[in-house]
Amino acid sequence: MTPSLLVTDLTACYGEVQVLKGVSLTARSQGVTAVIGSNGAGKSTLMRRLAGLLPPTGGQITFEGQDISTLASHDLVARGVVLVPEGRLIFSDMTVFENLTIGAVNPRARADRDNTLETVFDFFPRLKERRSQLGGTLSGGEQQMLALGRGLMANPKLLLLDEPTLGLAPGIAKQIFQIIPGLVKLGLSVILAEQDVHKTLAIADYVYVLENGTIGAEGLSADLQNDQRIKDAYLGA
Amino acid sequence: MTIPFISTNSSLPAVSATVIGAVLIVGLGVTMGSYWTVVALNLFMWIALTQSWSLFSGMTGYISLGHVVAYGIGAYLVAVTFKMIPLWLSIPLGGLAAGLFALIVAIPVLRVRGPYFVILTFGLAELVKYILLYTETTFGKSSRLLFGAPKTEVLLYWVAALAVIATLITYFVGRSRFGKGLAAVREDETAAETIGVPVTRLKVLAFAASAVIPGMIGGLMAMRSTYFDVLQVFNPTISFSIVTMAIIGGAGDARGPILGALFMLGLAELLWSTAPQLYFILLGLFLIGFVLFAPNGLIGLIKRRKQPKGSVS
């Protein structure tokens, strides 16, 4: 498979604290690449760094053959690298419709806005029903759908999903997980950061295990499911 | 199906209403005598200032408590160049100088948010005030008399025109993609970044733009008072009044600053001469009342009455 995103020896810091200590990974084109790891392993930092939300400190990021290591977030979005952030961060005082349309702010997405909106409503009929409701009045699951929909409105090529099921009821988390393979079918590449190892292994093609800011293990999902070390550490015997 | 980002169909009535309203008040102010000319002048001055403030602070949620700095810089430029270059040139130049100043300080100042931003803008305005005060006294010019300033009526036309322009700018920016981007910043800056809003560029532009008209107003008001005094044109009370009017009227909507200015000037005209202490007591009470019970100001109250609350899941 051709790589969508190539990350080499990436570092990231919050002030003096170095959180990522040289992470290298490859995101597969039109596939789900997962990053699993416990709380504080650096998953969100990695995602924020990839989305251009943290100042570049070291390492290289290549997207579709071009160096994007130092680009600002809006330039990355314009090129098709879009983060759906942890905690959803929807605009509570805007309607569902406004949340979605503002997602298509970059020039590439703007031209296609109406079509993309239809696609998003196909994925999430609930959002269509609640289109004139304020974002803040939605339930947690609906807000996650809205955050995903808003990300899709940016017309991404590579979608970075940071813990999309955090704090959601198991039934709704399951729904969100079921949507991800559908996104790949649309032609998207996905990097998924998750704590739920079981469900992640079920939908991911390739998995990286992040431990203390470095890649501790990696492999095809199928292989990792049988890996004794992963079983012990993350799956609970 | 098209998604209306700018709804042009509803623009015309708003524009006409603004212009007609302004022309009517100017007409009344001029025909009803000098007292009313001054009242109209003050009204338009505050509308222009609060509207400009709203362009940045109302839309982004970054509360500037130092907007007087733009007013002061404009006044200073016009006073210093008085009789050297014509007013039709020096007043726009004053606006430009204020805008440039805002552009230069924007990058460092906009790095902080919330209360830090409020304090920083306040401190910055005070800093500029004392630097200019020092400069002026060093050159032996603690204040400058400005003989031969235009008549109040002429100033009124200028200020009214600027109030109309400021109102229209706030109105149209609010409906533009630029305005939607600023609204996203106000709601959640990180989220705005993740969806590709060029957050820094937008904030800097809005900050600089919001200083231009106050700079021009400062120049005009220096002409009005016929003398220039640093402490007067950099008086922090101007910044406080702008914020108060924006809170009472409601920011983030072009009608808010108009209502706020009308409300405060109305209150002032009613009570100022008869019971000045009562004026300040009431003003304080209103400010507290609005912050606590109607944080979106008068315009928020009107909107709430118009449309019943949306269904809650």
mmCIF file of all heavy atoms in Angstrom, chain A residues 48 53 73-74 77 83 85 89 91-94 97 101-103 105 110 113-114 117 130 133 137 150, chain B residues 1-3 5 177 180-181 183-184 187-188 190-199 201 311-313:
data_model
loop_
_atom_site.group_PDB
_atom_site.id
_atom_site.type_symbol
_atom_site.label_atom_id
_atom_site.label_comp_id
_atom_site.label_asym_id
_atom_site.label_seq_id
_atom_site.Cartn_x
_atom_site.Cartn_y
_atom_site.Cartn_z
ATOM 1 N N ARG A 48 -2.167 16.284 17.708
ATOM 2 C CA ARG A 48 -2.114 17.753 17.640
ATOM 3 C C ARG A 48 -0.894 18.224 16.854
ATOM 4 O O ARG A 48 -0.961 19.195 16.105
ATOM 5 C CB ARG A 48 -2.093 18.348 19.053
ATOM 6 C CG ARG A 48 -3.404 18.167 19.797
ATOM 7 C CD ARG A 48 -3.257 18.549 21.265
ATOM 8 N NE ARG A 48 -2.886 19.950 21.416
ATOM 9 C CZ ARG A 48 -3.755 20.956 21.457
ATOM 10 N NH1 ARG A 48 -5.037 20.703 21.398
ATOM 11 N NH2 ARG A 48 -3.342 22.189 21.587
ATOM 12 N N LEU A 53 -0.977 21.979 15.351
ATOM 13 C CA LEU A 53 -1.411 22.783 16.493
ATOM 14 C C LEU A 53 -0.287 23.017 17.497
ATOM 15 O O LEU A 53 -0.441 23.814 18.420
ATOM 16 C CB LEU A 53 -2.592 22.111 17.212
ATOM 17 C CG LEU A 53 -3.889 22.014 16.419
ATOM 18 C CD1 LEU A 53 -4.951 21.291 17.227
ATOM 19 C CD2 LEU A 53 -4.385 23.401 16.038
ATOM 20 N N SER A 73 -1.757 25.057 10.867
ATOM 21 C CA SER A 73 -2.924 24.183 10.801
ATOM 22 C C SER A 73 -3.832 24.501 9.615
ATOM 23 O O SER A 73 -4.309 23.590 8.942
ATOM 24 C CB SER A 73 -3.699 24.260 12.113
ATOM 25 O OG SER A 73 -3.986 25.601 12.423
ATOM 26 N N HIS A 74 -4.048 25.802 9.322
ATOM 27 C CA HIS A 74 -4.989 26.098 8.233
ATOM 28 C C HIS A 74 -4.422 25.688 6.874
ATOM 29 O O HIS A 74 -5.177 25.336 5.974
ATOM 30 C CB HIS A 74 -5.427 27.561 8.251
ATOM 31 C CG HIS A 74 -4.326 28.546 8.087
ATOM 32 N ND1 HIS A 74 -3.632 29.056 9.161
ATOM 33 C CD2 HIS A 74 -3.794 29.104 6.991
ATOM 34 C CE1 HIS A 74 -2.725 29.897 8.705
ATOM 35 N NE2 HIS A 74 -2.792 29.944 7.394
ATOM 36 N N VAL A 77 -5.067 21.925 6.709
ATOM 37 C CA VAL A 77 -6.472 21.655 6.380
ATOM 38 C C VAL A 77 -6.702 21.886 4.892
ATOM 39 O O VAL A 77 -7.358 21.090 4.221
ATOM 40 C CB VAL A 77 -7.417 22.536 7.228
ATOM 41 C CG1 VAL A 77 -8.858 22.377 6.774
ATOM 42 C CG2 VAL A 77 -7.303 22.178 8.699
ATOM 43 N N LEU A 83 -7.983 17.338 11.533
ATOM 44 C CA LEU A 83 -8.101 16.719 12.853
ATOM 45 C C LEU A 83 -9.515 16.874 13.399
ATOM 46 O O LEU A 83 -10.090 17.962 13.360
ATOM 47 C CB LEU A 83 -7.115 17.383 13.830
ATOM 48 C CG LEU A 83 -7.268 17.047 15.312
ATOM 49 C CD1 LEU A 83 -6.821 15.613 15.602
ATOM 50 C CD2 LEU A 83 -6.464 18.009 16.188
ATOM 51 N N PRO A 85 -10.774 16.834 16.875
ATOM 52 C CA PRO A 85 -10.036 16.852 18.138
ATOM 53 C C PRO A 85 -10.702 16.058 19.257
ATOM 54 O O PRO A 85 -11.915 15.809 19.235
ATOM 55 C CB PRO A 85 -9.989 18.337 18.496
ATOM 56 C CG PRO A 85 -11.180 18.923 17.836
ATOM 57 C CD PRO A 85 -11.395 18.136 16.584
ATOM 58 N N LEU A 89 -15.023 19.531 20.869
ATOM 59 C CA LEU A 89 -14.866 20.963 20.617
ATOM 60 C C LEU A 89 -15.798 21.510 19.537
ATOM 61 O O LEU A 89 -15.385 22.232 18.651
ATOM 62 C CB LEU A 89 -13.414 21.303 20.231
ATOM 63 C CG LEU A 89 -12.300 20.815 21.137
ATOM 64 C CD1 LEU A 89 -10.961 21.360 20.648
ATOM 65 C CD2 LEU A 89 -12.518 21.250 22.573
ATOM 66 N N PHE A 91 -18.924 23.932 18.222
ATOM 67 C CA PHE A 91 -19.310 25.308 18.557
ATOM 68 C C PHE A 91 -20.713 25.259 19.164
ATOM 69 O O PHE A 91 -21.710 25.138 18.449
ATOM 70 C CB PHE A 91 -19.277 26.186 17.310
ATOM 71 C CG PHE A 91 -17.929 26.226 16.637
ATOM 72 C CD1 PHE A 91 -17.768 25.801 15.332
ATOM 73 C CD2 PHE A 91 -16.804 26.674 17.326
ATOM 74 C CE1 PHE A 91 -16.530 25.836 14.714
ATOM 75 C CE2 PHE A 91 -15.554 26.711 16.718
ATOM 76 C CZ PHE A 91 -15.421 26.290 15.409
ATOM 77 N N SER A 92 -20.776 25.390 20.492
ATOM 78 C CA SER A 92 -22.050 25.161 21.193
ATOM 79 C C SER A 92 -23.110 26.190 20.862
ATOM 80 O O SER A 92 -24.294 25.875 20.871
ATOM 81 C CB SER A 92 -21.848 25.170 22.709
ATOM 82 O OG SER A 92 -20.587 24.738 23.037
ATOM 83 N N ASP A 93 -22.689 27.440 20.600
ATOM 84 C CA ASP A 93 -23.677 28.492 20.361
ATOM 85 C C ASP A 93 -24.037 28.645 18.889
ATOM 86 O O ASP A 93 -24.703 29.596 18.512
ATOM 87 C CB ASP A 93 -23.176 29.832 20.916
ATOM 88 C CG ASP A 93 -23.296 29.862 22.435
ATOM 89 O OD1 ASP A 93 -24.082 29.062 22.969
ATOM 90 O OD2 ASP A 93 -22.595 30.663 23.070
ATOM 91 N N MET A 94 -23.548 27.718 18.075
ATOM 92 C CA MET A 94 -23.944 27.738 16.672
ATOM 93 C C MET A 94 -24.843 26.528 16.416
ATOM 94 O O MET A 94 -24.735 25.518 17.106
ATOM 95 C CB MET A 94 -22.723 27.629 15.759
ATOM 96 C CG MET A 94 -21.802 28.830 15.797
ATOM 97 S SD MET A 94 -20.529 28.659 14.527
ATOM 98 C CE MET A 94 -19.388 29.939 15.032
ATOM 99 N N PHE A 97 -26.225 23.120 11.608
ATOM 100 C CA PHE A 97 -25.979 23.539 10.235
ATOM 101 C C PHE A 97 -24.784 24.498 10.148
ATOM 102 O O PHE A 97 -23.908 24.344 9.298
ATOM 103 C CB PHE A 97 -27.243 24.195 9.678
ATOM 104 C CG PHE A 97 -27.129 24.646 8.257
ATOM 105 C CD1 PHE A 97 -27.139 23.729 7.219
ATOM 106 C CD2 PHE A 97 -27.011 25.996 7.964
ATOM 107 C CE1 PHE A 97 -27.026 24.149 5.904
ATOM 108 C CE2 PHE A 97 -26.904 26.426 6.647
ATOM 109 C CZ PHE A 97 -26.907 25.500 5.619
ATOM 110 N N THR A 101 -21.338 23.983 8.091
ATOM 111 C CA THR A 101 -20.919 24.836 6.965
ATOM 112 C C THR A 101 -19.595 25.522 7.259
ATOM 113 O O THR A 101 -18.779 25.701 6.371
ATOM 114 C CB THR A 101 -21.978 25.896 6.623
ATOM 115 O OG1 THR A 101 -22.366 26.542 7.819
ATOM 116 C CG2 THR A 101 -23.172 25.270 5.962
ATOM 117 N N ILE A 102 -19.369 25.871 8.522
ATOM 118 C CA ILE A 102 -18.113 26.547 8.832
ATOM 119 C C ILE A 102 -16.937 25.567 8.707
ATOM 120 O O ILE A 102 -15.795 25.977 8.535
ATOM 121 C CB ILE A 102 -18.171 27.213 10.232
ATOM 122 C CG1 ILE A 102 -17.222 28.398 10.250
ATOM 123 C CG2 ILE A 102 -17.862 26.242 11.346
ATOM 124 C CD1 ILE A 102 -17.371 29.268 11.446
ATOM 125 N N GLY A 103 -17.234 24.274 8.744
ATOM 126 C CA GLY A 103 -16.182 23.282 8.531
ATOM 127 C C GLY A 103 -15.612 23.341 7.127
ATOM 128 O O GLY A 103 -14.479 22.939 6.887
ATOM 129 N N VAL A 105 -14.533 25.813 5.460
ATOM 130 C CA VAL A 105 -13.986 27.164 5.308
ATOM 131 C C VAL A 105 -12.808 27.200 4.334
ATOM 132 O O VAL A 105 -12.539 28.214 3.710
ATOM 133 C CB VAL A 105 -13.620 27.742 6.702
ATOM 134 C CG1 VAL A 105 -12.375 27.092 7.265
ATOM 135 C CG2 VAL A 105 -13.450 29.247 6.643
ATOM 136 N N ARG A 110 -14.813 24.503 -0.016
ATOM 137 C CA ARG A 110 -15.909 25.441 -0.231
ATOM 138 C C ARG A 110 -16.668 25.132 -1.525
ATOM 139 O O ARG A 110 -17.892 25.169 -1.570
ATOM 140 C CB ARG A 110 -15.347 26.864 -0.287
ATOM 141 C CG ARG A 110 -16.117 27.839 0.552
ATOM 142 C CD ARG A 110 -15.489 29.209 0.458
ATOM 143 N NE ARG A 110 -14.193 29.282 1.108
ATOM 144 C CZ ARG A 110 -13.173 30.018 0.654
ATOM 145 N NH1 ARG A 110 -13.298 30.727 -0.441
ATOM 146 N NH2 ARG A 110 -12.036 30.037 1.308
ATOM 147 N N ARG A 113 -19.132 22.250 -1.148
ATOM 148 C CA ARG A 113 -19.809 22.242 0.142
ATOM 149 C C ARG A 113 -21.159 21.534 0.122
ATOM 150 O O ARG A 113 -21.466 20.716 0.989
ATOM 151 C CB ARG A 113 -19.966 23.681 0.623
ATOM 152 C CG ARG A 113 -20.387 23.809 2.051
ATOM 153 C CD ARG A 113 -20.210 25.221 2.506
ATOM 154 N NE ARG A 113 -20.850 26.140 1.584
ATOM 155 C CZ ARG A 113 -20.464 27.398 1.399
ATOM 156 N NH1 ARG A 113 -19.440 27.873 2.076
ATOM 157 N NH2 ARG A 113 -21.096 28.178 0.554
ATOM 158 N N ASP A 114 -21.967 21.832 -0.874
ATOM 159 C CA ASP A 114 -23.325 21.281 -0.887
ATOM 160 C C ASP A 114 -23.322 19.757 -1.009
ATOM 161 O O ASP A 114 -24.079 19.066 -0.322
ATOM 162 C CB ASP A 114 -24.133 21.908 -2.015
ATOM 163 C CG ASP A 114 -24.238 23.416 -1.851
ATOM 164 O OD1 ASP A 114 -23.699 23.924 -0.852
ATOM 165 O OD2 ASP A 114 -24.850 24.073 -2.708
ATOM 166 N N LEU A 117 -22.124 18.207 2.207
ATOM 167 C CA LEU A 117 -23.171 18.265 3.223
ATOM 168 C C LEU A 117 -24.149 17.098 3.068
ATOM 169 O O LEU A 117 -24.541 16.463 4.050
ATOM 170 C CB LEU A 117 -23.913 19.607 3.138
ATOM 171 C CG LEU A 117 -24.858 19.914 4.286
ATOM 172 C CD1 LEU A 117 -24.076 20.135 5.580
ATOM 173 C CD2 LEU A 117 -25.700 21.139 3.989
ATOM 174 N N ARG A 130 -31.526 17.414 13.258
ATOM 175 C CA ARG A 130 -31.270 18.454 14.250
ATOM 176 C C ARG A 130 -30.514 19.639 13.678
ATOM 177 O O ARG A 130 -29.833 20.342 14.413
ATOM 178 C CB ARG A 130 -30.466 17.854 15.403
ATOM 179 C CG ARG A 130 -30.991 16.515 15.842
ATOM 180 C CD ARG A 130 -30.969 16.344 17.305
ATOM 181 N NE ARG A 130 -32.048 15.443 17.680
ATOM 182 C CZ ARG A 130 -32.282 15.062 18.908
ATOM 183 N NH1 ARG A 130 -31.510 15.477 19.867
ATOM 184 N NH2 ARG A 130 -33.285 14.269 19.174
ATOM 185 N N GLN A 133 -30.809 22.956 15.419
ATOM 186 C CA GLN A 133 -30.640 22.966 16.867
ATOM 187 C C GLN A 133 -29.237 23.461 17.212
ATOM 188 O O GLN A 133 -28.299 23.248 16.449
ATOM 189 C CB GLN A 133 -30.801 21.530 17.349
ATOM 190 C CG GLN A 133 -31.415 21.404 18.716
ATOM 191 C CD GLN A 133 -31.753 19.948 18.991
ATOM 192 O OE1 GLN A 133 -32.517 19.323 18.265
ATOM 193 N NE2 GLN A 133 -31.150 19.418 20.034
ATOM 194 N N THR A 137 -26.867 21.822 22.613
ATOM 195 C CA THR A 137 -28.022 21.096 23.131
ATOM 196 C C THR A 137 -28.024 19.632 22.701
ATOM 197 O O THR A 137 -28.928 18.883 23.071
ATOM 198 C CB THR A 137 -29.345 21.745 22.660
ATOM 199 O OG1 THR A 137 -29.436 21.608 21.234
ATOM 200 C CG2 THR A 137 -29.415 23.203 23.023
ATOM 201 N N ARG A 150 -18.292 17.855 10.897
ATOM 202 C CA ARG A 150 -17.609 19.125 10.653
ATOM 203 C C ARG A 150 -16.229 18.882 10.039
ATOM 204 O O ARG A 150 -15.805 19.579 9.129
ATOM 205 C CB ARG A 150 -17.479 19.903 11.969
ATOM 206 C CG ARG A 150 -17.013 21.319 11.809
ATOM 207 C CD ARG A 150 -16.900 22.010 13.152
ATOM 208 N NE ARG A 150 -15.927 21.365 14.012
ATOM 209 C CZ ARG A 150 -15.705 21.682 15.279
ATOM 210 N NH1 ARG A 150 -16.393 22.650 15.844
ATOM 211 N NH2 ARG A 150 -14.809 21.050 15.992
ATOM 212 N N MET B 1 -29.296 22.973 -4.043
ATOM 213 C CA MET B 1 -29.424 23.792 -2.824
ATOM 214 C C MET B 1 -28.144 24.570 -2.586
ATOM 215 O O MET B 1 -27.054 24.049 -2.711
ATOM 216 C CB MET B 1 -29.675 22.864 -1.642
ATOM 217 C CG MET B 1 -30.017 23.582 -0.365
ATOM 218 S SD MET B 1 -30.059 22.416 0.994
ATOM 219 C CE MET B 1 -28.468 22.667 1.711
ATOM 220 N N THR B 2 -28.269 25.833 -2.301
ATOM 221 C CA THR B 2 -27.064 26.606 -1.994
ATOM 222 C C THR B 2 -27.098 27.020 -0.534
ATOM 223 O O THR B 2 -28.156 27.169 0.073
ATOM 224 C CB THR B 2 -26.973 27.875 -2.862
ATOM 225 O OG1 THR B 2 -28.173 28.606 -2.700
ATOM 226 C CG2 THR B 2 -26.772 27.535 -4.328
ATOM 227 N N ILE B 3 -25.910 27.158 0.005
ATOM 228 C CA ILE B 3 -25.823 27.557 1.398
ATOM 229 C C ILE B 3 -25.498 29.043 1.458
ATOM 230 O O ILE B 3 -24.473 29.473 0.978
ATOM 231 C CB ILE B 3 -24.733 26.757 2.106
ATOM 232 C CG1 ILE B 3 -25.097 25.276 2.054
ATOM 233 C CG2 ILE B 3 -24.568 27.199 3.536
ATOM 234 C CD1 ILE B 3 -23.942 24.377 2.295
ATOM 235 N N PHE B 5 -23.945 32.054 2.635
ATOM 236 C CA PHE B 5 -22.977 32.524 3.623
ATOM 237 C C PHE B 5 -23.186 34.010 3.879
ATOM 238 O O PHE B 5 -23.019 34.510 4.961
ATOM 239 C CB PHE B 5 -21.547 32.235 3.152
ATOM 240 C CG PHE B 5 -20.879 31.195 3.993
ATOM 241 C CD1 PHE B 5 -21.540 30.011 4.271
ATOM 242 C CD2 PHE B 5 -19.632 31.422 4.527
ATOM 243 C CE1 PHE B 5 -20.940 29.060 5.074
ATOM 244 C CE2 PHE B 5 -19.025 30.464 5.333
ATOM 245 C CZ PHE B 5 -19.679 29.281 5.599
ATOM 246 N N ARG B 177 -17.568 35.520 5.372
ATOM 247 C CA ARG B 177 -16.785 34.365 5.788
ATOM 248 C C ARG B 177 -15.771 34.778 6.854
ATOM 249 O O ARG B 177 -15.517 34.045 7.795
ATOM 250 C CB ARG B 177 -16.069 33.771 4.575
ATOM 251 C CG ARG B 177 -15.624 32.359 4.799
ATOM 252 C CD ARG B 177 -14.870 31.814 3.614
ATOM 253 N NE ARG B 177 -15.581 32.032 2.373
ATOM 254 C CZ ARG B 177 -15.040 32.615 1.312
ATOM 255 N NH1 ARG B 177 -13.799 33.030 1.357
ATOM 256 N NH2 ARG B 177 -15.730 32.764 0.212
ATOM 257 N N LYS B 180 -17.597 34.843 10.051
ATOM 258 C CA LYS B 180 -17.881 33.488 10.552
ATOM 259 C C LYS B 180 -16.616 32.908 11.182
ATOM 260 O O LYS B 180 -16.672 32.215 12.203
ATOM 261 C CB LYS B 180 -18.341 32.565 9.419
ATOM 262 C CG LYS B 180 -19.541 33.043 8.653
ATOM 263 C CD LYS B 180 -20.835 32.786 9.386
ATOM 264 C CE LYS B 180 -21.983 33.357 8.558
ATOM 265 N NZ LYS B 180 -23.202 33.551 9.321
ATOM 266 N N GLY B 181 -15.476 33.199 10.551
ATOM 267 C CA GLY B 181 -14.198 32.746 11.104
ATOM 268 C C GLY B 181 -13.949 33.350 12.475
ATOM 269 O O GLY B 181 -13.541 32.652 13.415
ATOM 270 N N ALA B 183 -16.228 34.415 14.527
ATOM 271 C CA ALA B 183 -17.192 33.804 15.448
ATOM 272 C C ALA B 183 -16.692 32.440 15.911
ATOM 273 O O ALA B 183 -16.860 32.068 17.075
ATOM 274 C CB ALA B 183 -18.550 33.668 14.770
ATOM 275 N N ALA B 184 -16.051 31.708 15.004
ATOM 276 C CA ALA B 184 -15.492 30.411 15.386
ATOM 277 C C ALA B 184 -14.386 30.593 16.416
ATOM 278 O O ALA B 184 -14.271 29.816 17.368
ATOM 279 C CB ALA B 184 -14.959 29.688 14.149
ATOM 280 N N GLU B 187 -16.019 31.192 19.756
ATOM 281 C CA GLU B 187 -16.622 29.981 20.321
ATOM 282 C C GLU B 187 -15.566 29.019 20.851
ATOM 283 O O GLU B 187 -15.701 28.491 21.938
ATOM 284 C CB GLU B 187 -17.450 29.281 19.246
ATOM 285 C CG GLU B 187 -18.714 30.009 18.907
ATOM 286 C CD GLU B 187 -19.913 29.339 19.513
ATOM 287 O OE1 GLU B 187 -19.948 28.102 19.532
ATOM 288 O OE2 GLU B 187 -20.810 30.045 19.970
ATOM 289 N N ASP B 188 -14.564 28.742 20.053
ATOM 290 C CA ASP B 188 -13.513 27.816 20.480
ATOM 291 C C ASP B 188 -12.329 27.951 19.523
ATOM 292 O O ASP B 188 -12.386 27.488 18.386
ATOM 293 C CB ASP B 188 -14.033 26.371 20.468
ATOM 294 C CG ASP B 188 -13.068 25.422 21.163
ATOM 295 O OD1 ASP B 188 -11.850 25.537 20.933
ATOM 296 O OD2 ASP B 188 -13.541 24.575 21.936
ATOM 297 N N THR B 190 -9.296 26.668 19.471
ATOM 298 C CA THR B 190 -8.631 25.444 19.015
ATOM 299 C C THR B 190 -9.451 24.758 17.937
ATOM 300 O O THR B 190 -8.917 24.314 16.912
ATOM 301 C CB THR B 190 -8.425 24.479 20.198
ATOM 302 O OG1 THR B 190 -7.783 25.196 21.251
ATOM 303 C CG2 THR B 190 -7.552 23.321 19.799
ATOM 304 N N ALA B 191 -10.755 24.684 18.176
ATOM 305 C CA ALA B 191 -11.619 24.065 17.168
ATOM 306 C C ALA B 191 -11.551 24.836 15.862
ATOM 307 O O ALA B 191 -11.504 24.251 14.783
ATOM 308 C CB ALA B 191 -13.058 24.013 17.677
ATOM 309 N N ALA B 192 -11.519 26.169 15.960
ATOM 310 C CA ALA B 192 -11.413 26.991 14.756
ATOM 311 C C ALA B 192 -10.147 26.635 13.985
ATOM 312 O O ALA B 192 -10.160 26.527 12.766
ATOM 313 C CB ALA B 192 -11.419 28.471 15.126
ATOM 314 N N GLU B 193 -9.052 26.433 14.732
ATOM 315 C CA GLU B 193 -7.799 26.049 14.073
ATOM 316 C C GLU B 193 -7.922 24.701 13.383
ATOM 317 O O GLU B 193 -7.461 24.526 12.260
ATOM 318 C CB GLU B 193 -6.669 25.979 15.105
ATOM 319 C CG GLU B 193 -5.955 27.282 15.339
ATOM 320 C CD GLU B 193 -4.754 27.096 16.234
ATOM 321 O OE1 GLU B 193 -4.916 27.172 17.466
ATOM 322 O OE2 GLU B 193 -3.664 26.841 15.712
ATOM 323 N N THR B 194 -8.545 23.744 14.049
ATOM 324 C CA THR B 194 -8.605 22.402 13.470
ATOM 325 C C THR B 194 -9.447 22.361 12.201
ATOM 326 O O THR B 194 -9.219 21.518 11.352
ATOM 327 C CB THR B 194 -9.168 21.349 14.458
ATOM 328 O OG1 THR B 194 -10.532 21.664 14.711
ATOM 329 C CG2 THR B 194 -8.401 21.313 15.744
ATOM 330 N N ILE B 195 -10.413 23.270 12.061
ATOM 331 C CA ILE B 195 -11.202 23.228 10.830
ATOM 332 C C ILE B 195 -10.586 24.096 9.739
ATOM 333 O O ILE B 195 -11.137 24.227 8.667
ATOM 334 C CB ILE B 195 -12.673 23.635 11.055
ATOM 335 C CG1 ILE B 195 -12.756 25.044 11.600
ATOM 336 C CG2 ILE B 195 -13.372 22.639 11.957
ATOM 337 C CD1 ILE B 195 -14.158 25.582 11.599
ATOM 338 N N GLY B 196 -9.443 24.711 10.037
ATOM 339 C CA GLY B 196 -8.730 25.417 8.982
ATOM 340 C C GLY B 196 -8.961 26.910 8.935
ATOM 341 O O GLY B 196 -8.679 27.550 7.928
ATOM 342 N N VAL B 197 -9.488 27.493 10.006
ATOM 343 C CA VAL B 197 -9.607 28.944 10.057
ATOM 344 C C VAL B 197 -8.212 29.521 10.314
ATOM 345 O O VAL B 197 -7.561 29.115 11.272
ATOM 346 C CB VAL B 197 -10.573 29.381 11.190
ATOM 347 C CG1 VAL B 197 -10.581 30.885 11.345
ATOM 348 C CG2 VAL B 197 -11.974 28.862 10.929
ATOM 349 N N PRO B 198 -7.745 30.434 9.452
ATOM 350 C CA PRO B 198 -6.430 31.046 9.703
ATOM 351 C C PRO B 198 -6.523 32.010 10.881
ATOM 352 O O PRO B 198 -6.586 33.223 10.710
ATOM 353 C CB PRO B 198 -6.093 31.754 8.395
ATOM 354 C CG PRO B 198 -7.374 31.923 7.682
ATOM 355 C CD PRO B 198 -8.360 30.923 8.215
ATOM 356 N N VAL B 199 -6.537 31.440 12.077
ATOM 357 C CA VAL B 199 -6.910 32.164 13.297
ATOM 358 C C VAL B 199 -6.067 33.426 13.512
ATOM 359 O O VAL B 199 -6.618 34.509 13.717
ATOM 360 C CB VAL B 199 -6.792 31.201 14.504
ATOM 361 C CG1 VAL B 199 -6.885 31.955 15.798
ATOM 362 C CG2 VAL B 199 -7.872 30.139 14.423
ATOM 363 N N ARG B 201 -4.173 35.199 11.451
ATOM 364 C CA ARG B 201 -4.361 36.217 10.423
ATOM 365 C C ARG B 201 -5.666 36.977 10.652
ATOM 366 O O ARG B 201 -5.717 38.202 10.610
ATOM 367 C CB ARG B 201 -4.374 35.541 9.053
ATOM 368 C CG ARG B 201 -4.208 36.500 7.898
ATOM 369 C CD ARG B 201 -4.435 35.793 6.572
ATOM 370 N NE ARG B 201 -3.651 34.583 6.431
ATOM 371 C CZ ARG B 201 -3.969 33.595 5.584
ATOM 372 N NH1 ARG B 201 -5.040 33.690 4.835
ATOM 373 N NH2 ARG B 201 -3.212 32.526 5.485
ATOM 374 N N SER B 311 -35.939 23.978 20.630
ATOM 375 C CA SER B 311 -36.253 22.771 21.377
ATOM 376 C C SER B 311 -34.988 22.151 21.938
ATOM 377 O O SER B 311 -33.944 22.163 21.319
ATOM 378 C CB SER B 311 -36.941 21.771 20.458
ATOM 379 O OG SER B 311 -36.113 21.500 19.359
ATOM 380 N N VAL B 312 -35.095 21.670 23.153
ATOM 381 C CA VAL B 312 -33.942 21.068 23.813
ATOM 382 C C VAL B 312 -34.171 19.564 23.880
ATOM 383 O O VAL B 312 -35.271 19.107 24.216
ATOM 384 C CB VAL B 312 -33.775 21.657 25.230
ATOM 385 C CG1 VAL B 312 -32.614 20.998 25.933
ATOM 386 C CG2 VAL B 312 -33.552 23.159 25.151
ATOM 387 N N SER B 313 -33.135 18.843 23.523
ATOM 388 C CA SER B 313 -33.293 17.386 23.494
ATOM 389 C C SER B 313 -33.447 16.821 24.893
ATOM 390 O O SER B 313 -32.861 17.311 25.825
ATOM 391 C CB SER B 313 -32.101 16.736 22.812
ATOM 392 O OG SER B 313 -30.955 16.943 23.591
#
